[in-house]
């Protein structure tokens, strides 16, 4: 499953999708869902539940926090993947990455994003890499090899 904020990262999402397809992985992405009345939280968490690998692309926007919730949908997906003990491969946008001002979160969302990024970096259950110069295909190959080894061990 590929997770990220969508509006600010369309090129990055396309690159991750391409890397997945080159590895014969079919990425579950919100863009591929049919139009429905299902709420965004349920649809997103269902995609996590149906996936074998969680790929997160984290830029400088925290993302949509549904009314009555404390976390963004992206962070909810990350948590669900962790509870399911799924391999989580996280691409964190490098601080030097060129950005538009509209692509940078401000206010309370900025503080939530900093905490989320820090949590990803400290989480033993997630592999994180900065965007700049990262060979996504190589990272996916390594993650697939780890997954195969874990499956053989069980």
């Amino acid at each position: 499953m590929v997770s990220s904020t969508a509006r600010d990262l369309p090129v990055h999402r396309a690159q991750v999708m391409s890397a997945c397809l080159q590895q014969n992985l079919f990425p579950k992405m919100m863009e591929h869902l049919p139009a429905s009345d299902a709420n965004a939280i349920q649809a997103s968490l269902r995609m996590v539940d149906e996936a074998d690998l969680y790929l997160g692309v984290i830029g400088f926007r925290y993302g949509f926090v549904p009314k009555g919730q404390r976390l963004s949908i992206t962070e909810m997906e990350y948590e669900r993947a962790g509870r399911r003990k799924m391999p989580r491969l996280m691409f964190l946008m490098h601080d030097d990455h060129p950005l538009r001002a509209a692509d940078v979160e401000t206010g309370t969302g900025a503080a939530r994003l900093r905490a989320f990024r820090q949590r990803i970096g400290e989480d033993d259950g997630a592999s994180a890499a900065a965007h700049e110069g990262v060979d996504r295909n190589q990272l996916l190959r390594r993650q697939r090899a780890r997954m195969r080894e874990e499956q053989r061990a069980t």
Side-chain angles (χ1 to χ4, degrees):
M1 190 235 174
V2 176
S3 175
S4 76
T5 53
R7 189 176 51 201
D8 57 321
L9 297 171
V11 172
H12 298 83
R13 291 176 66 82
Q15 289 172 343
V16 170
M17 182 176 73
S18 175
C20 288
L21 294 173
Q22 289 175 31
Q23 296 298 315
N24 294 319
L25 297 171
F26 180 74
K28 292 182 177 289
M29 301 171 74
M30 290 300 287
E31 300 89 312
H32 301 153
L33 291 178
S36 77
D37 291 333
N39 89 32
I41 296 171
Q42 290 173 340
S44 292
L45 297 181
R46 184 173 37 255
M47 282 197 314
V48 174
D49 291 341
E50 294 171 353
D52 297 317
L53 172 67
Y54 178 86
L55 298 170
V57 182
I58 308 299
F60 290 99
R61 294 199 62 74
Y62 183 62
F64 176 65
V65 178
K67 187 174 181 163
Q69 300 295 319
R70 63 179 183 79
L71 300 178
S72 69
I73 290 179
T74 302
E75 191 165 0
M76 286 182 213
E77 293 166 346
Y78 177 84
E79 281 194 348
R80 175 68 68 99
R83 282 194 302 274
R84 289 194 58 231
K85 306 278 190 248
M86 291 174 66
R88 291 176 289 174
L89 183 57
M90 305 300 294
F91 295 103
L92 303 178
M93 186 176 284
H94 193 276
D95 289 342
D96 296 334
H97 190 80
L99 296 167
R100 299 176 312 144
D103 294 337
V104 178
E105 188 83 44
T106 59
T108 59
R112 288 177 174 180
L113 176 63
R114 275 191 302 278
F116 183 32
R117 289 174 67 102
Q118 181 176 349
R119 181 174 155 214
I120 291 166
E122 295 170 352
D123 195 338
D124 289 338
S127 300
H131 272 231
E132 298 304 308
V134 172
D135 182 341
R136 290 168 184 85
N137 285 323
Q138 182 181 23
L139 288 173
L140 282 171
R141 279 193 298 274
R142 277 190 273 175
Q143 186 62 48
R144 285 188 75 199
R146 273 190 234 133
M147 289 171 64
R148 285 188 199 113
E149 288 298 318
E150 289 173 6
Q151 287 174 344
R152 283 186 212 130
T154 57

